[in-house]
Amino acid sequence: MTDHRIVGSPSVTVDGLLAVAIELAYQAGAVTLSHFGKVHSADAKADGSPVTVADREAEALLREGIRARFPDHGILGEEFGEEAGTAPIRWVLDPIDGTRSFMRGVPIYAVLIGVEVEGKPVVGVAHLPALAETVAAGQGIGCRWIGGSGGASRSARVSDTTELGDALTLTTDPQSVLASPIAGGWKELCARVGVVRGWGDAYGHVLVATGRAEIMVDPVLSPWDAAALIPILSEAGGRFTDLGGEESIHGGSGVSTNGHLHHRVLGLLRGA
Ligand code: IPD
Ligand code: CA
Ligand code: CA
C-alpha cells in the first residue's frame, strides 16, 4: 500500500480518503438506484435546476458517512451547502450529477465526490450506478476504471489522439453552449473535430478519462461538478481546466481533454 500522508492530518492518507470516497459513492449510488425510474417530480432550485428526493437522500447519506469517519473535515455539497471543518480537508459532493437524465430513467448520471487538501482536489470519484461503472483517482496513485463495458478494474487512460480531426467532442447542452460567450469558438471546434455528440454531464468527462472521447466542454459548472474531475483527468493522463486554463473548481466552466489537444481546444473556444 502506498503511503501518501497529509500534512496537518498525518493519520489520514490519500489512499485512505480514496477508499472511503469509493465506499460512500457506492452507498449513495445504491440510494439513487432505489429511486431510479420512479421519481417523476422535482423541486426547482434558485438556478432553475431540478432537485429530487433521491438527490437529498444521497447527499444526506454521504454527509453522515463523512462525519462519522472524519468529524473534523469540512463538507461542501450541492444540496445542503457548506459545513466548516477544522482539518485542512474538505469533501465536495454532487449526489446526482445529471438529475435531468436521472429523472427520465436515462442511466448516464453520476455520484461525484472530490476531496480537497488545502484547497487542492487530491481525490476524485465519479460513480455511475445505473451503468455499474466507476472511475476513481488519487493524486500520485493513478486513476482506476471499474466496471463499464470492459468489466474488471483496470487503469483509466486518456486516448493518445493528437489530431483534432480524429477527436470526439462532447458537451452537455448544445443550447447552453450556443448561448454562452464561447458560442463562436464552439462552432469552430465542432467544424474541425471528427465527431460531436451530447453525452454530457460528468459522463462526458469520464469518457475522456477512459479514452473513449477526446474533448468535453461545459460552459456552466459549479465547484461540486468540477472537484472530482481534476484528479480523475490528471491521473488518467489528461487535463481538466476551466475555460481560462486554470485547474480550478471555481472557474464556472470545465474543459476536459486527453492533454494533447488541450491548448488548441482552449484557443479555439476563446476565438484565438
Ligand atoms: C449539472 C451538470 C451539467 C452542468 C450544469 C449542472 P446537476 O449538474 O453538471 O453538466 O452544465 O451546470 O447543473 O444539476 O445535474 O447536478
Ligand atoms: Ca452537477
Ligand atoms: Ca446534482
Side-chain angles (χ1 to χ4, degrees):
M1 159 88 82
T2 41
D3 182 9
H4 298 81
R5 293 195 180 278
I6 289 164
V7 178
S9 288
S11 61
V12 179
T13 61
V14 172
D15 316 65
L17 290 169
L18 178 59
V20 172
I22 294 171
E23 183 187 340
L24 293 177
Y26 275 88
Q27 289 177 10
V31 168
T32 68
L33 283 178
S34 72
H35 293 285
F36 189 50
K38 301 175 199 156
V39 173
H40 304 292
S41 68
D43 296 328
K45 294 194 286 194
D47 64 358
S49 66
V51 55
T52 72
V53 61
D55 299 72
R56 293 193 180 106
E57 275 184 22
E59 185 169 323
L61 177 143
L62 292 172
R63 283 175 182 267
E64 268 171 42
I66 296 161
R67 273 193 229 107
R69 292 167 177 82
F70 307 111
D72 56 336
H73 292 191
I75 304 175
L76 170 67
E78 177 172 11
E79 310 308 343
F80 298 116
E82 178 103 46
E83 272 177 64
T86 52
I89 302 173
R90 181 171 76 156
W91 294 68
V92 185
L93 313 173
D94 186 345
I96 298 183
D97 180 80
T99 298
R100 288 175 175 89
S101 295
F102 172 81
M103 286 180 64
R104 285 165 180 76
V106 175
I108 54 172
Y109 73 90
V111 177
L112 297 180
I113 301 180
V115 188
E116 296 176 322
V117 174
E118 285 170 346
K120 184 177 179 345
V122 298
V123 161
V125 176
H127 173 48
L128 297 125
L131 295 178
E133 179 166 348
T134 308
V135 288
Q139 185 177 276
I141 300 174
C143 184
R144 301 295 297 171
W145 176 16
I146 305 150
S149 46
S153 169
R154 64 277 201 205
S155 194
R157 215 51 220 161
V158 295
S159 80
D160 52 16
T161 302
T162 55
E163 300 301 321
L164 271 178
D166 296 330
L168 166 57
T169 291
L170 308 171
T171 193
T172 299
D173 176 356
Q175 289 302 109
S176 100
V177 192
L178 293 172
S180 78
I182 58 160
W186 169 252
K187 285 187 206 159
E188 191 60 40
L189 177 65
C190 290
R192 295 196 189 198
V193 296
V195 187
V196 182
R197 289 290 182 272
W199 306 321
D201 301 309
Y203 187 54
H205 301 274
V206 166
L207 291 176
V208 176
T210 51
R212 292 173 286 176
E214 281 70 36
I215 303 162
M216 165 68 192
V217 177
D218 201 324
V220 185
L221 278 196
S222 297
W224 41 81
D225 299 316
L229 301 175
I230 289 177
I232 287 172
L233 266 298
S234 88
E235 290 294 321
R239 288 191 69 193
F240 174 93
T241 70
D242 60 23
L243 284 164
E246 297 297 318
E247 199 180 72
S248 166
I249 68 170
H250 303 291
S253 57
V255 178
S256 287
T257 72
N258 68 352
H260 301 294
L261 301 173
H262 208 80
H263 185 69
R264 267 175 285 165
V265 168
L266 289 185
L268 280 171
L269 290 172
R270 291 189 204 133

